[in-house]
Amino acid sequence: MSTFCRPTTLADALAALAEPGSRVLAGGTDLSGLIDRGLASPTTVIDVQDAGLDRIERCGAGVRIGATATLATVAVSDLLTRWTALREAAAAAASPLLRNVATVGGNLCQHTRCWYYRGVEWTCWLGGGDTCFAQIGEHERHGLQPGDCISAHPSDLAPALIVSDATVVVASATGIREQPVAALYRRPDVDDRSLLTLGPDEVITHVVLPAPPDASVYLREGQREAFSFPLVGLAVARFGERLVMAAAGVANIPHLLDPDDVLHDLPGNPQSAWKRTVLATLASRGRTAVTM
Amino acid sequence: MSTTRTRTPLVRGRVGELMPRRDAEPKVTGAFAYSSDLEAEGMLFAVTVRSPHPHARIAAIDTAAAVATAGVHAVLTHADVPGRKTVGMHRADQPVLVVDVVRYQGEPVVIVAADDLETARRAAVLVVVTYEVLEPVADPERGEVLRDVRIRHGDQSLGADVVVSGSYEVGMQDQAFLGPESGLAIPDGDGGVDLHVATQWLHLDQEQICAALDLPPAKVRVHLAGVGGAFGGREDVSMQIHACLLALRTGRPVKMVYTREESFFGHVHRHPAWMRYEHGATPEGDLVYVRAEILLDGGAYASSSPAVVSNAACFAAGPYRVQRATIDARVVMTNNPPCGAMRGFGAVQVAVAHEAQMDLLAAALGIDPVDLRVRNALKTGDRMITGQVIDGPAPVRELLEGLRAMPLPLERGSLRADLRELPGGVANTTHGEGVRRGVGYAIGFKNMGFAEGFDDYSTARVRVSLVNGEPLVEVHTAACEVGQGLVTVLEQIARTELGFEHVVVLPADTTVGSAGSSSASRQTWMTGGAVKAACEAVRERLHELAADRSVEETVEHHHRPTFPLDPETGQGDAQVALCFAAHRAVCDVDTDLGLVRVVEIATTQDVGRIMNPAQCEGQIQGGIAQGLGLALMEEIKTENGLVRNPNFTDYLIPTILDMPPVRLAISETPHPDAPYGLNGVGEPPTIASTPAIAAALRAATGRPVTRVPVRPDDLI
Ligand SMILES: Cc1cc2nc3c(=O)[nH]c(=O)nc-3n(C[C@H](O)[C@H](O)[C@H](O)COP(=O)(O)OP(=O)(O)OC[C@H]3O[C@@H](n4cnc5c(N)ncnc54)[C@H](O)[C@@H]3O)c2cc1C
Ligand code: SF4
């Protein structure tokens, strides 16, 4: 059984988080599901939604987004009009109901949707077991990178933030650090199966956007018109001549692409190789969209 | 194709009028009480302990810790079932609670009732079931045959000049209804129980509860609670017996509501199908023969599989005249989720195959696919492949011609398109690049009512009394309003027959005779017929009506008899009546990304008589949405007996954005056997809409598309 607290200052939240076994809760749209399925069993759940982290504000030439700002506010924020890819990604994720509660920090930290991982019947490699059931089972919607875990990263926001050169501010009781969004993620290995670089006592407080790109777009293939996870989500941004591309749905973490060779490193797994065509097509259409 | 209508300006809300349904507003505003919203003083909450294994032998069940939990009032196993330990629609082969062997994942083993839901859940976790895990039979080819239906029609040696063949597959679809299984059982303090439940057939529930509880029918009263959709998934019992058992054991009302995930394990699904077809025709395009081998996976228990496989066989050739049919359809039992009734009932699966075959044949012959269908269209007086002569309406040709004559949606303009109208929608996947349009036609048919000799009937009690000098009509039946709008139609019928404004349809329960199931597109015909007949009987006696004297009649309405199929040849007059609908799908496909935008579905359907235009259209629109779901996304995925996607995150159903505008033309060819000439409406829209979309996708991409649901990777 876990206890619940809702601190009203960041300092209190960080102090609570310093206790082993505690876990940050924001909108709860992902964490509640993980707890239900026994995939997370925190002793203390620390709801950070009252910790004053929900503002979106100007910050130099860019914008600073509080980690508990909802996807719905990001999608319509006047301050973010020049970050098209980000707004489009936020508007495309999940459903209106979920977007009203799901937060930016939670979205970046959500766990894989791989149904073997989420299913109570399987304890797969990522969950600490020995077998990647997707590789011996069905993986047509999985990633394009071979490896121990071929899951497909689910966050729409992550690629959009990565191509915007965004950073995350991470705080713990012992201090604050700032790092590129991409550095939030790590490829899991035998000794450490986590997909995030965050320590258990750390919380994302903000996402910081530097000056906006000259143009950006988020292209997303889903299984239906709304309310489905991205099969492939591709963010493309252009800063002057520089093109940046990053994708969800192709590797177990957000994947930075080489705009001149988008399929590099992504040979595909037997059933998911079709996504290569999708990625290449989206990349070429995305390039057109930001250079038109 | 029209009927004459009596026009009487006096009373509004008669048959044929657009009368708004009474449940519409409460449903839209959230005020409607579904079966999961019921409460009673002092009620307990119940949960189910389910097997995580699809196949296992239970070595031991230890309930001690759960029983010892504070707030827990009962923890029951199969040993606590006082009567028959099994249930089932066609055969009682499914344990009320697992006795020794688990046959599918999620099968109920133990039930727990406690003061509140959380306590019940926690206690359920404390139940220790020791399983000896067995290897599941997951491959239907290895399943035990439950029933096979052979049809040998015509001269079996007939061959043909032009032959096409193909293999087709249909995934396992879920009814995906809005309201999970739920109900409230209230003990009467005298050994009996009242169950309020969302179901499709009150008396069948009652019969099965009585058998399991070892109680006479008078002790078990079943009342219909608010139903959030059914589509066949509520024909088998789910929590009915469990809630009653717990209520009688504890002496307290017991509420049981499945979670969404449980719901996926709580009801039967549409049978997945594997079909091999061969069609032979003359060079001119006359169908000579249809050969088909059809395999349906019935999963762990019989449910209504024997009837579904019969339907699959009877309608295997589609609504076409064929000289020879050689059909071998079988349904097998495995350790996969049980499958049974779902809207379209066997006709859906075979339509995917027979319509694809008709297109293949048209291509092989160089004939327009609609022309080929028209050329071979069944009509009144023709024989079906079961040998049955169709004596009712069979407007196949008219539906196809009507459909073809309907205008096509506009081509996409050269102007920058509205993203919302393109495949991928607002997700920026295309502004028109890679997009190709395809058009596909399909037609399907199935039976109204139950088949093969089942004596199907419904009962209605109609009573007229004077209240403050004004006549009040009360209509009482056990027919389940499952969202189709039955209550409104019954009200319209009573008003039409008796001419009185004030009609009340009483809540459905088992204190009146059986109405049969709200399935097989039968309820308006059967219960509508019973209400009509009861009203007529009352009308004869209206002169007796006085301030202190009401007039009441109870009437059973049977349809004409049907007969079993010959087990060797599959020949027999098995069907009551046939319903038909044709669909044309226009789809835009992004051929680089495999994304589909269904631009429009056009449909022609003959309904015999439009009882209420809005409800009729509602059935057609909803049925098409379900057909679209099967075509493009809906599939329960199993792996070695385990369900991988028992939730609405991974089991996708169409949203309103996926649903195109429907262009519809409803015709009314009166059915001579039916009240008001009406015919079944609910199922035909789900039959041909799926193959029409598949055909449009083939036309757009040139890909074979032999399996539904079609995935993006099937199209690039
Ligand atoms: C049905 C469904 C469909 C969805 N579809 C999509 C989709 O299409 N695209 C998409 O991108 N997402 C989708 N999502 C995911 C959804 O966007 C995330 O669940 C949501 O953004 C998580 O935010 P939350 O605030 O609810 O996080 P929570 O559930 O509260 O937390 C999620 C995780 O993040 C951690 N966390 C939360 N905030 C912080 C923080 N500030 N610092 C450190 N760790 C933190 C929590 O500990 C937890 O591990 C879907 C979710 C559901 C349930
Ligand atoms: S893809 Fe990753 S999460 Fe999925 S089964 Fe394999 S290891 Fe587990």
Side-chain angles (χ1 to χ4, degrees):
Chain A
M1 217 186 299
S2 35
T3 53
F4 175 86
C5 69
R6 191 168 191 160
T8 51
T9 66
L10 178 59
D12 288 350
L14 295 176
L17 258 181
E19 296 298 317
S22 51
R23 178 100 177 234
V24 178
L25 173 98
T29 59
D30 190 43
L31 187 58
S32 55
L34 294 172
I35 292 175
D36 276 354
R37 306 194 137 264
L39 293 166
S41 36
T43 46
T44 310
V45 171
I46 299 155
D47 181 347
V48 294
Q49 288 179 106
D50 281 349
L53 299 174
D54 58 346
R55 292 176 54 111
I56 302 179
E57 56 208 350
R58 232 178 274 285
C59 170
V63 170
R64 197 167 80 133
I65 303 172
T68 62
T70 62
L71 302 191
T73 38
V74 169
V76 298
S77 168
D78 289 342
L79 296 179
L80 294 171
T81 42
R82 298 182 61 195
W83 285 269
T84 311
L86 176 60
R87 278 187 300 109
E88 288 176 340
S95 67
L97 272 69
L98 281 161
R99 292 196 292 272
N100 282 340
V101 285
T103 66
V104 171
N107 185 277
L108 292 175
C109 298
Q110 64 176 300
H111 214 303
T112 179
R113 301 304 308 193
C114 173
W115 53 27
Y116 299 99
Y117 180 83
R118 297 252 168 183
V120 285
E121 303 85 359
W122 295 274
T123 300
C124 73
W125 183 87
L126 191 66
D130 303 324
T131 312
C132 170
F133 294 99
Q135 299 188 40
I136 55 171
E138 190 168 310
H139 59 261
E140 67 185 28
R141 292 174 209 171
H142 281 66
L144 290 169
Q145 258 182 345
D148 293 317
C149 169
I150 61 166
S151 66
H153 178 74
S155 164
D156 283 307
L157 252 52
L161 288 170
I162 289 172
V163 300
S164 310
D165 290 343
T167 54
V168 279
V169 180
V170 176
S172 70
T174 57
I176 292 183
R177 61 196 175 89
E178 188 167 342
Q179 61 181 23
V181 170
L184 255 185
Y185 302 97
R186 62 183 296 280
R187 297 199 189 286
D189 54 47
V190 183
D191 301 320
D192 182 354
R193 311 279 164 102
S194 54
L195 295 160
L196 293 171
T197 56
L198 285 180
D201 59 339
E202 287 185 315
V203 62
I204 299 174
T205 60
H206 298 90
V207 172
V208 182
L209 294 164
D214 295 310
S216 69
V217 67
Y218 189 63
L219 308 90
R220 180 186 199 269
E221 169 145 349
Q223 254 241 290
R224 64 180 172 192
E225 290 289 321
F227 198 9
S228 64
F229 278 94
L231 292 166
V232 177
L234 175 73
V236 184
R238 182 176 60 77
F239 297 84
E241 295 292 290
R242 181 170 70 100
L243 268 192
V244 198
M245 294 186 179
V250 301
N252 53 23
I253 58 176
H255 193 72
L256 193 63
L257 307 170
D258 174 355
D260 296 319
D261 183 10
V262 290
L263 296 176
H264 177 74
D265 250 12
L266 300 172
N269 288 295
Q271 298 161 21
S272 65
W274 66 280
K275 279 189 175 182
R276 282 167 55 87
T277 317
V278 170
L279 184 62
T281 303
L282 292 180
S284 109
R285 292 181 187 171
R287 176 188 290 266
T288 311
V290 297
T291 48
M292 262 188 331
Chain B
M1 275 193 255
S2 76
T3 51
T4 44
R5 310 224 179 122
T6 26
R7 282 181 66 90
T8 321
L10 285 174
V11 184
R12 294 172 56 86
R14 299 157 66 98
V15 163
E17 288 178 40
L18 196 166
M19 188 186 148
R21 39 195 296 177
R22 296 192 189 280
D23 58 351
E25 192 181 310
K27 278 182 174 165
V28 171
T29 57
F32 185 82
Y34 288 98
S35 53
S36 51
D37 297 323
L38 303 176
E39 285 178 12
E41 187 72 24
M43 74 183 181
L44 303 175
F45 292 80
V47 300
T48 311
V49 178
R50 297 172 184 280
S51 168
H53 309 290
H55 197 194
R57 187 176 302 282
I58 293 186
I61 303 176
D62 179 357
T63 60
V67 172
T69 305
V72 169
H73 293 260
V75 182
L76 307 185
T77 68
H78 66 88
D80 300 294
V81 179
R84 196 177 70 188
K85 307 243 181 218
T86 54
V87 292
M89 293 197 26
H90 282 243
R91 55 166 88 161
D93 64 344
Q94 184 159 0
V96 174
L97 290 164
V98 176
V99 178
D100 48 1
V101 177
V102 170
R103 293 190 178 78
Y104 72 97
Q105 182 195 15
E107 196 165 350
V109 183
V110 175
I111 45 178
V112 180
D115 283 330
D116 57 74
L117 188 55
E118 201 48 42
T119 306
R121 283 192 184 143
R122 282 166 196 238
V125 174
L126 298 178
V127 172
V128 183
V129 184
T130 312
Y131 297 98
E132 193 187 299
V133 176
L134 305 171
E135 187 56 34
V137 177
D139 176 2
E141 293 288 358
R142 290 181 41 223
E144 185 194 326
V145 176
L146 174 64
R147 182 178 180 193
D148 59 15
V149 178
R150 277 164 62 89
I151 292 181
R152 296 290 181 272
H153 176 72
D155 175 357
Q156 292 295 303
S157 65
L158 276 180
D161 292 336
V162 183
V163 173
V164 294
S165 58
S167 295
Y168 306 93
E169 249 179 81
V170 175
M172 186 189 295
Q173 190 180 19
D174 186 58
Q175 293 82 352
F177 39 60
L178 177 74
E181 292 78 353
S182 52
L184 176 66
I186 307 176
D188 64 8
D190 196 22
V193 64
D194 284 87
L195 175 68
H196 301 260
V197 68
T199 186
Q200 288 180 242
W201 186 350
L202 293 168
H203 284 79
L204 185 64
D205 283 3
Q206 183 192 38
E207 189 185 308
Q208 303 200 66
I209 298 166
C210 287
L213 267 46
D214 199 16
L215 287 174
K219 288 272 184 207
V220 177
R221 294 157 301 265
V222 187
H223 310 260
L224 186 67
V227 182
F231 314 110
R234 296 189 205 271
E235 269 197 326
D236 297 85
V237 295
S238 55
M239 46 58 65
Q240 284 89 329
I241 297 171
H242 299 161
C244 292
L245 267 174
L246 289 165
L248 288 173
R249 178 62 75 99
T250 61
R252 303 261 295 266
V254 171
K255 174 171 178 154
M256 196 163 203
V257 180
Y258 285 2
T259 63
R260 175 56 63 193
E261 179 162 344
E262 270 188 298
S263 180
F264 276 91
F265 299 100
H267 59 260
V268 296
H269 313 291
R270 190 191 295 296
H271 294 78
W274 295 262
M275 300 168 287
R276 268 204 297 274
Y277 266 70
E278 187 179 296
H279 277 54
T282 66
E284 296 73 39
D286 292 321
L287 271 182
V288 177
Y289 72 87
V290 175
R291 276 170 50 106
E293 279 170 36
I294 297 158
L295 170 63
L296 305 178
D297 185 353
Y301 294 103
S303 180
S304 48
S305 282
V308 174
V309 72
S310 164
N311 255 29
C314 291
F315 303 108
Y320 308 111
R321 230 169 13 228
V322 284
Q323 299 173 48
R324 166 195 159 201
T326 311
I327 313 291
D328 289 285
R330 69 200 150 103
V331 62
V332 297
M333 295 182 78
T334 61
N335 296 113
N336 290 322
C339 290
M342 183 173 169
R343 195 178 199 172
F345 207 80
V348 166
Q349 291 91 330
V350 292
V352 168
H354 65 65
E355 290 305 274
Q357 283 285 108
M358 291 303 278
D359 286 347
L360 267 189
L361 188 58
L365 292 161
I367 299 182
D368 172 81
V370 179
D371 285 342
L372 179 70
R373 288 174 170 85
V374 168
R375 187 182 179 101
N376 292 285
L378 272 180
K379 58 180 188 326
T380 305
D382 286 343
R383 281 185 192 281
M384 297 166 56
I385 60 172
T386 50
Q388 180 168 355
V389 175
I390 302 177
D391 53 3
V396 177
R397 178 196 182 102
E398 291 80 352
L399 291 176
L400 287 165
E401 300 280 20
L403 185 62
R404 174 155 56 184
M406 285 164 95
L408 279 161
L410 292 179
E411 285 293 324
R412 266 179 304 103
S414 49
L415 293 173
R416 202 178 159 84
D418 182 339
L419 284 189
R420 285 171 301 185
E421 292 172 1
L422 287 164
V426 293
N428 293 316
T429 50
T430 182
H431 294 272
E433 312 94 297
V435 176
R436 285 215 293 270
R437 178 160 292 188
V439 179
Y441 286 84
I443 184 160
F445 74 146
K446 92 169 274 292
N447 53 325
M448 185 301 302
F450 296 153
E452 291 190 83
F454 185 83
D455 178 21
D456 190 14
Y457 71 97
S458 179
T459 318
R461 182 186 300 152
V462 172
R463 175 189 160 105
V464 182
S465 51
L466 289 174
V467 177
N468 299 326
E470 291 295 320
L472 166 70
V473 184
E474 290 165 294
V475 177
H476 192 190
T477 78
C480 296
E481 166 69 67
V482 295
Q484 80 277 48
L486 182 75
V487 166
T488 312
V489 166
L490 297 184
E491 191 179 321
Q492 289 175 273
I493 290 174
R495 209 172 270 126
T496 304
E497 295 306 321
L498 293 168
F500 298 137
E501 178 83 44
H502 197 185
V503 178
V504 175
V505 178
L506 300 174
D509 58 32
T510 49
T511 62
V512 58
S514 176
S517 179
S518 286
S519 64
S521 303
R522 64 178 282 289
Q523 205 56 289
T524 301
W525 180 317
M526 297 305 298
T527 298
V531 169
K532 180 171 188 278
C535 287
E536 285 162 357
V538 164
R539 204 168 55 205
E540 295 293 309
R541 292 179 44 211
L542 272 183
H543 55 274
E544 297 170 28
L545 187 63
D548 58 350
R549 181 154 184 193
S550 58
V551 177
E552 180 181 302
E553 289 285 350
T554 303
V555 174
E556 267 184 20
H557 178 67
H558 294 247
H559 60 57
R560 69 177 191 189
T562 60
F563 301 91
L565 296 172
D566 180 280
E568 289 306 311
T569 63
Q571 301 297 288
D573 291 352
Q575 317 298 350
V576 183
L578 302 170
C579 344
F580 302 84
H583 295 85
R584 179 185 69 201
V586 177
C587 296
D588 281 345
V589 182
D590 186 327
T591 53
D592 298 318
L593 298 175
L595 288 171
V596 175
R597 150 71 56 186
V598 183
V599 177
E600 183 199 87
I601 303 278
T603 180
T604 46
Q605 181 167 339
D606 197 286
V607 300
R609 174 73 190 271
I610 299 172
M611 300 294 282
N612 179 323
Q615 294 192 169
C616 188
E617 286 180 24
Q619 283 294 298
I620 294 175
Q621 298 254 8
I624 289 173
Q626 228 154 9
L628 183 146
L630 179 60
L632 295 176
M633 60 191 83
E634 292 191 37
E635 183 173 6
I636 292 186
K637 298 274 200 168
T638 63
E639 193 163 310
N640 221 15
L642 297 173
V643 177
R644 269 186 317 215
N645 54 346
N647 56 68
F648 284 158
T649 307
D650 295 318
Y651 182 92
L652 299 184
I653 56 176
T655 69
I656 192 68
L657 294 178
D658 300 280
M659 184 62 192
V662 172
R663 195 189 288 267
L664 34 73
I666 305 175
S667 56
E668 299 178 285
T669 313
H671 199 293
D673 296 343
Y676 307 105
L678 68 81
N679 204 342
V681 176
E683 294 178 285
T686 52
I687 299 171
S689 46
T690 306
I693 291 171
L697 300 181
R698 280 190 288 271
T701 63
R703 300 290 305 263
V705 186
T706 54
R707 183 183 199 284
V708 295
V710 182
R711 298 157 300 198
D713 46 319
D714 296 325
L715 299 174
I716 50 182

